[in-house]
Amino acid sequence: MTDTGSAGNSSIGAFGPDISSARLEAGDYAHVFDDLHPPLSRHEAFVESDRCYFCYDAPCMNACPTSIDIPLFIRQISAGNPVGAAKTILNENILGGMCARVCPTETLCEEVCVREVAEGKPVKIGHLQRYATDVLMAQGMHPFTRAPETGKHIAIVGAGPAGISAAHRLATYGHQVTIFEARPKGGGLNEYGIAAYKTVDDFAQRELEFVLKIGGIMIEYNQTLGQDISIDALKAGYDAVFLAMGLPGVNGLGLDGEDAPNVLDAVDYIANLRQAKDLSALPVGRNIVVIGGGMTAIDVAIQTKRLGAENVTVVYRRGQESMNASLYEQELAQIHGVTIRHWLQPDSLECNEDGTVHSVVFEYTENTDGRLSGIGEYLMLEADQVFKAIGQTFDPEPLRGSGIGLSKGRISVDGEGRTSVEGIWAGGDCVAGGKDLTVASVEDGKIAAESIHAALTQRPQAVEGFAEAVLSGGVHHSLARETPVKPANWLAGEQG
């Protein structure tokens, strides 16, 4: 074994891992997780909105998973109408405030901004979106009203982005919605999984309260699918079911010793950090190794560094270009003093006599003909804490016997979010092909809600050729007879 690290020192970890709370001065904790990007002032928003070209065929809009009319809302800001801008945003993305804070805009709307392509400096779309939504929320108003009650009741499992998005859209149509949430708070990853410096001042809960102002939505907390509720009970008690329970599990390393107390799931640590009332009480290692290359890996690395860790290293098995974390996020980590190592995969965990881990052995890797393989050379890194951030997993056990089909370990759905079981839809991270982004989950919830609404109201399907016949001035009698008549209150319901 070729050891280019600190292997061979039998004194490493002899007294156990160096993990301690209160690594910072007491006064430092008040600002350790201040807002990463302070909001724009009114003047700054005017100046930034003035940089937009208001493209007719806007590439930024096409790059937005929720299809927000970006040129329109920026024009509204420049015209001094931030509330109108917020309504434009929220009409497509009811969690537009959170997405403005956590969306990787550098790889979505801002990446394709004309000014980015031409000048390398895009319009700050995310900052402007936050400005507009913050102004509206500060006024305490809710821009939507409910349609008349339909008498339909939908069950949603999971109060994360997909579930909240679907619930709000269904409530606007006049349906009743009950959300069953496994945790004691709603918000999903927005509440439990986002870095503390990206969403300050309890914003996830404030945004949830804002969404619930539409009315017609009730959340039942501490209700876990497969334990407190079942698929059969939901099918029997509700007109439709939407599954949005996210990914509760975390992939393992498959190494001996990973059950050690200082080998942690990054997602769980971030959740505990986000809920901590006293940050100084959080245990933080002196030397930290994070295994993974996505946003969770970067988030836990930066946060532990801010909490006083001396050496934090993110280790990823492929090259920089393959990391799920954007280049911006990688640079942010490095600015905070985090080291990122590439082309290394975990080989083994070196343990103390008490079972705690003191070092991680990595094998160098290479990509040969599209396949990743080890090259037989190794590196050892000291670790007081090891964080696993190599992806989350779906738990299919609560669906056993339900008939709901799976694909690649997640729920299989069609383009409208329908599962293989009639009356049951699914969306968000729990479905096959999910992009593990808040904004993508919001869109899933919106699409499924529209499909559920259409199914529950039996919206008539378009008859092929009928519209063309009307426009040409003649309607064939057979087409007219086949066309269902919409109920008298259809238009009012749609406008709601």
Side-chain angles (χ1 to χ4, degrees):
M1 176 173 100
T2 301
D3 180 8
T4 58
S6 52
N9 184 350
S10 60
S11 67
I12 292 178
F15 302 102
D18 187 350
I19 301 174
S20 175
S21 56
R23 288 193 177 276
L24 305 177
E25 295 294 329
D28 293 339
Y29 286 99
H31 300 288
V32 68
F33 293 131
D34 279 348
D35 208 333
L36 178 64
H37 300 296
L40 298 178
S41 67
R42 182 173 180 272
H43 174 72
E44 289 171 331
F46 276 141
V47 172
E48 189 61 30
S49 64
D50 219 25
R51 297 184 62 239
C52 182
Y53 289 139
F54 309 119
C55 307
Y56 174 75
D57 187 14
C60 57
M61 183 175 172
N62 295 329
C64 175
T66 55
S67 301
I68 293 172
D69 192 333
I70 295 171
L72 174 59
F73 93 70
I74 294 179
R75 185 182 291 275
Q76 289 170 312
I77 291 174
S78 69
N81 184 16
V83 170
K87 291 178 180 179
T88 297
I89 294 162
L90 299 174
N91 190 58
E92 299 297 338
N93 182 348
I94 192 59
L95 299 185
M98 180 62 76
C99 288
R101 290 161 167 80
V102 305
C103 259
T105 53
E106 65 275 5
T107 61
L108 293 172
C109 53
E110 292 180 15
E111 182 180 48
V112 297
C113 174
V114 172
R115 299 204 78 139
E116 164 65 17
V117 175
E119 306 166 8
K121 188 178 180 181
V123 175
K124 296 177 181 177
I125 298 171
H127 288 67
L128 290 170
Q129 180 167 314
R130 174 176 174 176
Y131 168 75
T133 53
D134 281 359
V135 168
L136 184 141
M137 289 180 64
Q139 295 184 359
M141 63 180 294
H142 190 84
F144 301 96
T145 56
R146 298 190 71 205
E149 289 282 351
T150 64
K152 303 295 184 180
H153 200 165
I154 298 97
I156 294 177
V157 181
I164 295 171
S165 172
H168 184 272
R169 183 58 62 106
L170 289 166
T172 63
Y173 284 130
H175 306 303
Q176 284 287 328
V177 180
T178 297
I179 305 177
F180 296 93
E181 169 55 43
R183 294 181 185 259
K185 288 183 179 180
L189 284 180
N190 288 353
E191 172 63 35
Y192 293 96
I194 301 296
Y197 51 81
K198 293 180 180 178
T199 169
V200 302
D201 300 329
D202 203 26
F203 183 78
Q205 292 307 302
R206 291 194 290 116
E207 186 174 51
L208 177 58
E209 292 171 3
F210 164 77
V211 172
L212 295 179
K213 286 183 179 180
I214 186 66
I217 304 172
M218 179 172 63
I219 304 180
E220 297 285 352
Y221 294 106
N222 301 305
Q223 297 293 304
T224 302
L225 186 66
Q227 298 178 21
D228 308 293
I229 52 176
S230 68
I231 292 294
D232 287 343
L234 295 177
K235 285 178 61 180
Y238 296 87
D239 296 293
V241 178
F242 178 61
L243 303 176
M245 51 277 212
L247 303 174
V250 176
N251 286 321
L253 300 173
L255 302 177
D256 292 339
E258 72 172 287
D259 57 349
N262 60 332
V263 178
L264 309 170
D265 292 340
V267 172
D268 290 343
Y269 188 88
I270 293 173
N272 291 333
L273 186 157
R274 285 291 307 274
Q275 302 306 308
K277 298 186 182 303
D278 180 8
L279 291 174
S280 68
L282 287 171
V284 181
R286 186 178 299 277
N287 298 300
I288 288 177
V289 173
V290 181
I291 302 173
M295 291 299 304
T296 300
I298 297 297
D299 285 353
V300 77
I302 294 176
Q303 288 177 113
T304 51
K305 185 66 175 175
R306 285 192 173 194
L307 288 171
E310 288 186 10
N311 303 300
V312 180
T313 305
V314 173
V315 185
Y316 181 58
R317 60 180 180 157
R318 298 184 186 273
Q320 180 188 48
E321 69 284 351
S322 299
M323 292 182 70
N324 285 333
S326 67
L327 288 176
Y328 167 77
E329 293 289 340
Q330 295 177 50
E331 292 171 1
L332 183 65
Q334 292 167 330
I335 289 172
H336 280 83
V338 173
T339 300
I340 301 179
R341 304 286 302 258
H342 302 101
W343 300 109
L344 288 164
Q345 63 185 5
D347 178 78
S348 62
L349 301 171
E350 299 293 314
C351 298
N352 299 304
E353 292 183 0
D354 64 359
T356 57
V357 170
H358 64 71
S359 303
V360 186
V361 177
F362 292 91
E363 182 180 14
Y364 284 93
T365 60
E366 64 180 9
N367 195 338
T368 305
D369 297 328
R371 297 187 61 182
L372 188 73
S373 60
I375 65 173
E377 296 182 10
Y378 300 84
L379 168 72
M380 180 180 284
L381 296 176
E382 291 183 45
D384 298 305
Q385 285 178 317
V386 179
F387 287 100
K388 297 181 289 185
I390 52 176
Q392 295 174 260
T393 59
F394 177 69
D395 179 14
E397 186 60 30
L399 305 182
R400 187 179 298 277
S402 67
I404 296 175
L406 303 178
S407 174
K408 297 181 179 179
R410 303 191 194 186
I411 300 173
S412 179
V413 295
D414 66 8
E416 294 186 6
R418 293 176 293 208
T419 71
S420 55
V421 175
E422 185 177 358
I424 299 180
W425 285 255
D429 294 346
C430 67
V431 303
K435 296 181 180 179
D436 299 346
L437 290 173
T438 294
V439 66
S441 293
V442 170
E443 181 68 2
D444 282 359
K446 185 173 70 175
I447 290 172
E450 293 289 350
S451 180
I452 292 170
H453 174 64
L456 294 183
T457 56
Q458 297 180 337
R459 185 182 300 171
Q461 297 296 316
V463 176
E464 185 176 357
F466 184 74
E468 290 79 358
V470 171
L471 292 173
S472 65
V475 180
H476 194 279
H477 291 297
S478 63
L479 286 176
R481 286 196 300 269
E482 292 172 3
T483 305
V485 177
K486 290 184 172 73
N489 63 348
W490 175 79
L491 182 59
E494 288 298 289
Q495 290 176 330

